[in-house]
Amino acid sequence: QVQLVESGGGLVQAGGSLRLSCAASGDIFAFVAMGWYRQAPGKQRELVAHITNDGSTTYADSVKGRFTISRDNAKKTVYLQMGSLKPEDTAVYYCNGRRLGRIDTWGQGTQVTVSS
């Protein structure tokens, strides 16, 4: 029963940077892929970035060139480095881990607010 805990959210000005962390309590290799999702009030939940256990990454078009997903297996942590932040990036960000059999584990979320 792996658990995920997000941290690093906060209030920043447009153009600023922020790094989110997602720490796993168990073996991170239990996941075949991990990703960051976000949801703003009244909007669809969307995939922001995704990384597989071989290091392949995927990004939403809206964040390409601005966000970078990475992982540190020794620390059992996945990161989302966010730069050139825009007000439309404001949302609750959730960490997700996908296991075989389409079994998902979700963190509780961390709020990111970008002011203009």
Side-chain angles (χ1 to χ4, degrees):
Q1 296 184 351
V2 178
Q3 296 184 18
L4 301 175
V5 179
E6 302 100 332
S7 62
L11 174 64
V12 298
Q13 293 185 336
S17 299
L18 204 61
R19 187 177 75 165
L20 305 183
S21 299
C22 174
S25 64
D27 186 0
I28 197 170
F29 292 104
F31 299 117
V32 297
M34 299 189 70
W36 287 94
Y37 292 74
R38 68 186 182 187
Q39 186 167 23
K43 295 185 177 180
Q44 297 271 15
R45 181 174 62 247
E46 65 174 343
L47 175 67
V48 177
H50 173 275
I51 186 167
T52 66
N53 56 12
D54 70 349
S56 179
T57 59
T58 301
Y59 297 93
D61 288 342
S62 60
V63 307
K64 283 183 178 178
R66 299 189 298 120
F67 291 10
T68 301
I69 187 170
S70 62
R71 67 185 182 191
D72 186 333
N73 291 335
K75 296 182 181 294
K76 300 181 180 180
T77 301
V78 174
Y79 303 96
L80 184 67
Q81 180 67 51
M82 305 184 294
S84 301
L85 284 163
K86 304 174 181 179
E88 51 263 45
D89 294 319
T90 296
V92 177
Y93 285 69
Y94 298 92
C95 182
N96 170 266
R98 171 63 62 88
R99 302 169 72 181
L100 290 175
R102 296 185 178 180
I103 301 172
D104 288 331
T105 299
W106 293 90
Q108 293 184 339
T110 185
Q111 177 71 47
V112 172
T113 302
V114 184
S115 64
S116 59

